Amino acid sequence: MFELIKSLFNIVSSQIRPPEKQVFGTDGETFYFEIFSKDGKSNTGKIWSPDKNSAMKKLTNISDDLYLLGAGANINSYIIKNKIKTLIIELKKISRTLPQLKKMTVLTENQVTELCIFIENQIEKNGCDHSLKNTFEWAERNEINKADLIDVLECNGGFCDCEVIMNLPENCSLEIESGNNEPDYKNPFKTPLNFQQTEHKVYTKALFSSSEYNNNNSYTKNGELLIPAPFGFKPKKRVRKSVHFFNGTESELPSEIGIVKEIIPTNGKEFAKKIRDFKLESLSKFSERDAEYYLSRIEKIEIGKPMGTYFMEITGIGGTKIDLKIHKVIFR
């Protein structure tokens, strides 16, 4: 049942697209669906009052059945499984008719086989230390881009050498989607449109780079003030495609992780001016509103805690919107 549910929502999330036309109604229900990847990235879609015989109506019915089953109702789980299997087949047919997202091949089918054979041989000799040491050794020998490789491995459950050989799909190439990250000149930092500023609010914390997290694609110097890079900004050093990043306010170099530290009490207007005064291209349009959102996301977090940033895509009746998120990071 778990594997069927996972397969169902994976294919649903892959089909999220902006609607072909706006649909407005005076009565009905809106259903939201959200799936999280292992790295915490979210993909969200919504549908308003789906038609009775549509795939989305079948999905909402299955979701209701699963809720009732979990609540202890007398529902036949085998019937639910058959409904899920039937809907997966229907959704796969729909997938063939959808416009395809641009993809980039990271590993060919032959390279996947070669990688797995190399890792198996190394593990037989030395065991698995629950890292990607052997994977990265093979990648370096074969001139495979490490950042792209990490992205495609994470998408396929390859978080250590033994998971790579267990989870990578066989007899196919491994690809990653190349997203559409055109700059947004009206809202370059993608600060959520529903964010409400608080007049005269004073803030006492901001994010800074730390040498403790240099292994997390941090190229900034220790103690550098960090601000999320604008949407679509090309980093000056290589970072993973699966995450967004902060820019250092002195170097303009990227860092995936920022540490919460105390600052002299300030407000959004003062802080925004301070950031713009660094005269960096990526931060030249950092507004008072952007500053307030950034500071408000950090204010309640404990000193010394690590934080990251990403863009959440939400597709709804009005199309797709992208919001900046600044969040705590938990390392396992």
Side-chain angles (χ1 to χ4, degrees):
M1 177 71 86
F2 173 79
E3 292 298 331
L4 282 173
I5 294 169
K6 185 168 71 171
S7 297
L8 174 62
F9 276 87
N10 276 330
I11 191 169
V12 168
S13 68
S14 73
Q15 293 187 3
I16 293 174
R17 298 289 192 281
E20 294 180 0
K21 62 180 180 179
Q22 299 261 5
V23 179
F24 297 98
T26 57
D27 192 14
E29 291 179 293
T30 300
F31 298 91
Y32 294 84
F33 298 94
E34 186 167 24
I35 183 169
F36 287 87
S37 64
K38 287 189 176 181
D39 62 1
K41 288 186 67 178
S42 162
N43 198 10
T44 305
K46 68 178 181 180
I47 185 74
W48 178 78
S49 293
D51 293 336
K52 183 177 180 181
N53 296 317
S54 68
M56 288 298 97
K57 183 60 178 178
K58 294 172 185 175
L59 179 65
T60 61
N61 288 341
I62 288 171
S63 298
D64 286 340
D65 288 345
L66 289 171
Y67 172 79
L68 292 172
L69 180 65
N74 186 20
I75 295 180
N76 191 320
S77 62
Y78 292 101
I79 293 176
I80 300 177
K81 288 180 184 178
N82 287 331
K83 286 182 179 179
I84 294 175
K85 290 176 182 177
T86 301
L87 182 55
I88 287 173
I89 293 170
E90 184 176 341
L91 289 172
K92 285 181 177 178
K93 291 179 181 177
I94 293 173
S95 288
R96 300 189 190 109
T97 68
L98 292 173
Q100 296 300 304
L101 299 173
K102 293 181 180 179
K103 295 186 177 182
M104 178 179 70
T105 299
V106 178
L107 295 177
T108 65
E109 181 180 337
N110 288 338
Q111 286 175 323
V112 172
T113 302
E114 291 170 8
L115 170 60
C116 290
I117 291 173
F118 176 81
I119 294 173
E120 285 174 354
N121 290 335
Q122 295 300 108
I123 289 179
E124 283 181 7
K125 295 176 184 177
N126 308 310
C128 179
D129 64 359
H130 305 296
S131 74
L132 289 166
K133 178 181 68 177
N134 296 312
T135 301
F136 292 151
E137 181 182 340
W138 177 88
E140 188 172 344
R141 291 183 184 181
N142 291 273
E143 299 183 343
I144 303 296
N145 184 279
K146 183 177 177 180
D148 290 340
L149 180 62
I150 291 173
D151 286 338
V152 79
L153 292 180
E154 288 183 351
C155 290
N156 289 279
F159 294 90
C160 74
D161 287 327
C162 57
E163 288 183 337
V164 169
I165 57 177
M166 288 175 61
N167 295 335
L168 288 196
E170 299 177 355
N171 304 319
C172 67
S173 300
L174 297 184
E175 302 171 324
I176 56 174
E177 295 175 1
S178 54
N180 178 20
N181 291 337
E182 291 297 320
D184 183 342
Y185 297 103
K186 291 183 178 179
N187 185 15
F189 294 89
K190 293 291 187 182
T191 296
L193 297 178
N194 61 358
F195 171 68
Q196 300 294 320
Q197 291 178 257
T198 305
E199 192 174 0
H200 307 308
K201 175 75 173 179
V202 174
Y203 300 94
T204 61
K205 298 174 185 176
L207 294 177
F208 295 81
S209 57
S210 171
S211 56
E212 181 183 354
Y213 296 96
N214 280 350
N215 291 333
N216 295 86
N217 292 322
S218 177
Y219 302 96
T220 52
K221 67 180 183 180
N222 190 46
E224 198 170 341
L225 178 62
L226 301 177
I227 301 294
F231 184 76
F233 183 81
K234 186 175 181 180
K236 294 185 177 181
K237 293 282 187 179
R238 187 75 183 183
V239 296
R240 293 180 294 164
K241 287 184 174 65
S242 59
V243 300
H244 189 48
F245 55 94
F246 302 101
N247 270 351
T249 50
E250 298 172 49
S251 63
E252 205 173 22
L253 293 175
S255 177
E256 290 184 7
I257 301 295
I259 300 299
V260 179
K261 291 187 178 182
E262 281 188 303
I263 57 173
I264 297 172
T266 187
N267 58 38
K269 184 176 182 180
E270 292 172 349
F271 190 78
K273 183 180 184 304
K274 176 181 177 179
I275 300 305
R276 292 195 300 269
D277 284 346
F278 283 105
K279 306 297 183 184
L280 298 177
E281 175 194 353
S282 63
L283 306 178
S284 62
K285 296 184 179 180
F286 192 70
S287 69
E288 178 180 334
R289 188 168 181 276
D290 298 326
E292 281 226 28
Y293 177 71
Y294 165 87
L295 294 168
S296 68
R297 297 293 296 171
I298 302 166
E299 189 64 19
K300 294 182 180 180
I301 307 299
E302 295 176 33
I303 300 295
K305 293 294 184 181
M307 299 189 75
T309 183
Y310 72 102
F311 291 110
M312 175 183 280
E313 291 192 22
I314 302 175
T315 298
I317 294 172
T320 298
K321 71 171 184 175
I322 301 173
D323 285 346
L324 176 70
K325 301 294 179 184
I326 304 169
H327 58 94
K328 283 198 298 184
V329 174
I330 298 174
F331 290 96
R332 292 182 293 179

